[in-house]
Amino acid sequence: MNVQADYSRLAERLTQQGIDVEAVKEKLKTQHIETPSWGYGNSGTRFKVFSWQGAARNINEKLADAGYIHKLTGVAPTVAIHIPWDKTDDWAGMAEYAKSQGVGIGAVNPNVFQDDQYKLGSITNPSGAVREEALAHMVECCEIMGKTGSEILSLWFADGTNYAGQDNIRERKHRMEEAFAETYKHLPAGGRMVIEYKFFEPAFYHTDLADWGMSYACCLKLGPQAQVLVDTGHHAQGTNIAHIVAFLLDEGRLGGFHFNARRYADDDLIVGTNNPFELFEIYHELVSAGDLAKDVAYMIDQSHNIEPKLEAMLVSILNCQTAYAKALIVDRKLLNQRQLEGDVLGAHRVLVDAYETDVRPLLAQARIEIGRDPDPMAAYRADNYAKRVAEERGTIDASGGYPG
Ligand code: PSV
Ligand code: MN
């Protein structure tokens, strides 16, 4: 690939279309996608947790791997942590070590779904004592935000019921609202909480936060520091996620994303692998919303079980970059004109034209300008980091890993 020549040709074409190529590149250079600590360790399905040679064994190794991904891409400067999986008694030390690896601590994710007492739910559990315990953990996570410099508390609950009549749905809603109100009070200054929803699993009759509307209703009761988190894998087949994104952006309540790809349910596959046009639609809405999208947090939430972990994370980032680049070069003036004229297919074609543009030279040039290799995948494959950590870390028993 002759980056310079290819880039010049593309830049010239885009400029002729009235696109400010320098501004587009600036956006690409400052894109920010957070990777999850749990994406670097062993993981699996509900049937089997696989052992990977070289998988990170502890938080320091997860941070080192995340630092490596950032070094390759330049757009993954933070790491989400999951508590207690990443618990330490030296939070300042963790933040310091992250910094030494070139990354910072991102969203803090409390875990109130893994322990025995949460069998019937956490903050919606019929037992007051269990609810107290879940709340205390969420408050502890607010404190961890303060100690690590994190600005986001990312909440997801496995709460729900399996059978009609198992519990009182409205009572559970009240319990949840109470816990949210208390947690909200503990957010550090400038911090926010993002509330994730999921339409089913592990509960199958009803899930206490089943869709974006339920999360949104909770956020409205709390205040501006509460926003909705859209996990792309948490929707029923055929749901128009871009529409949800546009609606929440317009309401100022889109807090962030958990990116992944799905075919059936919460498959946790690599974002943009089976749904690249959907990812582009989402980015198109984000770009169209301008400043309304300025605080949206972009996070990967995937479980790589049969894929090499570092390579999978890298592909995820590259796919997000590609979708964003394509969304940035949509001819919005022409789009608006055709929309107002009622030109149904003409308007659609504006999007398709951007989507079908080969944006690789643009991304390569942006990478060069931030001191990265124009082809991070080639750089990764030529490098020996993965081989080195495989030798150093070996293979550990995967039984304690995240089940997917
Ligand atoms: C649940 O499926 C989820 O998407 C939530 O975001 C969790 O935080 C994450 O997976 C890891 O358990
Ligand atoms: Mn998620």
Side-chain angles (χ1 to χ4, degrees):
M1 176 165 66
N2 183 340
V3 175
Q4 215 52 57
D6 291 349
Y7 170 69
S8 298
R9 248 193 316 275
L10 177 60
E12 199 183 325
R13 209 192 93 198
L14 293 173
T15 307
Q16 272 165 13
Q17 281 175 22
I19 289 166
D20 181 344
V21 179
E22 284 305 313
V24 166
K25 252 192 307 159
E26 213 37 53
K27 300 257 187 213
L28 291 173
K29 291 193 262 183
T30 51
Q31 193 179 3
H32 178 163
I33 304 155
E34 183 161 305
T35 67
S37 69
W38 56 97
Y40 297 105
N42 278 326
S43 59
T45 66
R46 69 173 83 207
F47 306 107
K48 166 80 181 148
V49 175
F50 298 102
S51 294
W52 258 98
Q53 199 182 349
R57 298 164 296 181
N58 52 50
I59 182 65
N60 280 3
E61 291 179 354
K62 292 173 189 176
L63 292 170
D65 287 356
Y68 177 62
I69 294 294
H70 181 51
K71 198 170 137 221
L72 287 170
T73 62
V75 297
T78 55
V79 187
I81 54 172
H82 219 300
I83 315 298
W85 298 338
D86 299 321
K87 202 166 173 152
T88 168
D89 44 22
D90 180 11
W91 295 106
M94 180 194 284
E96 220 18 71
Y97 186 76
K99 205 167 153 209
S100 76
Q101 299 303 304
V103 288
I105 302 298
V108 176
N109 291 248
N111 180 327
V112 284
F113 50 82
Q114 204 179 245
D115 299 327
D116 280 342
Q117 69 272 28
Y118 298 133
K119 187 164 69 178
L120 301 180
S122 60
I123 55 170
T124 63
N125 196 296
S127 153
V130 174
R131 294 202 299 275
E132 285 290 310
E133 206 174 324
L135 177 60
H137 178 56
M138 282 156 55
V139 170
E140 179 196 2
C141 286
C142 290
E143 285 157 11
I144 293 171
M145 289 170 73
K147 291 175 189 162
T148 55
S150 160
E151 289 168 357
I152 296 183
L153 181 73
S154 189
L155 301 173
W156 175 73
F157 303 91
D159 294 34
T161 60
N162 272 357
Y163 297 95
Q166 179 188 321
D167 198 1
N168 183 318
I169 293 177
R170 286 177 48 245
E171 271 311 309
R172 290 175 73 95
K173 174 172 175 285
H174 299 158
R175 295 168 197 155
M176 179 167 73
E177 288 167 349
E178 232 173 81
F180 282 159
E182 198 49 41
T183 307
Y184 192 83
K185 289 186 207 154
H186 289 83
L187 286 173
R192 45 190 173 128
M193 63 197 246
V194 291
I195 304 180
E196 188 174 348
Y197 55 91
K198 184 173 182 178
F199 72 128
F200 87 111
E201 201 201 20
F204 295 107
Y205 171 64
H206 103 285
T207 296
D208 288 297
L209 281 170
D211 65 26
W212 70 271
M214 296 182 196
S215 293
Y216 176 65
C218 291
C219 291
L220 287 187
K221 287 188 180 166
L222 292 167
Q225 284 165 276
Q227 295 176 311
V228 179
L229 183 140
V230 175
D231 181 313
T232 47
H234 291 188
H235 304 87
Q237 202 80 288
T239 301
N240 182 342
I241 301 175
H243 181 191
I244 297 170
V245 167
F247 191 99
L248 288 171
L249 278 169
D250 202 59
E251 293 294 316
R253 294 286 177 162
L254 181 68
F257 286 96
H258 272 178
F259 279 140
N260 49 58
R262 70 181 288 284
R263 284 191 185 279
Y264 303 99
D266 192 20
D267 308 344
D268 277 338
L269 300 178
I270 296 170
V271 56
T273 46
N274 59 17
N275 57 348
F277 195 76
E278 181 184 60
L279 187 61
F280 165 74
E281 290 167 352
I282 291 171
Y283 268 108
H284 165 61
E285 291 305 333
L286 287 155
V287 173
S288 301
D291 266 3
L292 286 173
K294 74 179 180 351
D295 293 325
V296 172
Y298 301 87
M299 304 175 253
I300 304 283
D301 180 13
Q302 293 169 185
S303 173
H304 309 127
N305 310 326
I306 61 163
E307 312 91 326
K309 291 180 189 297
L310 293 167
E311 194 169 338
M313 204 59 89
L314 190 53
V315 176
S316 310
I317 307 276
L318 302 187
N319 287 352
C320 289
Q321 287 184 304
T322 302
Y324 188 37
K326 291 183 177 195
L328 284 168
I329 59 164
V330 168
D331 186 341
R332 293 201 150 65
K333 213 163 129 215
L334 183 62
L335 179 66
N336 184 253
Q337 186 192 319
R338 291 188 177 169
Q339 287 174 343
L340 293 176
E341 285 165 358
D343 183 354
V344 176
L345 293 181
H348 176 64
R349 202 151 52 241
V350 174
L351 289 198
V352 173
D353 278 345
Y355 180 73
E356 288 185 343
T357 302
D358 182 357
V359 291
R360 285 176 294 183
L362 183 59
L363 286 164
Q365 180 63 25
R367 289 179 185 127
I368 289 171
E369 291 180 20
I370 55 169
R372 261 59 182 188
D373 194 288
D375 185 347
M377 185 53 76
Y380 165 79
R381 293 213 156 201
D383 194 19
N384 75 341
Y385 182 92
K387 192 164 167 280
R388 178 167 61 75
V389 296
E391 277 160 15
E392 274 170 22
R393 299 173 186 169
T395 308
I396 55 160
D397 174 21
S399 57
Y402 174 57

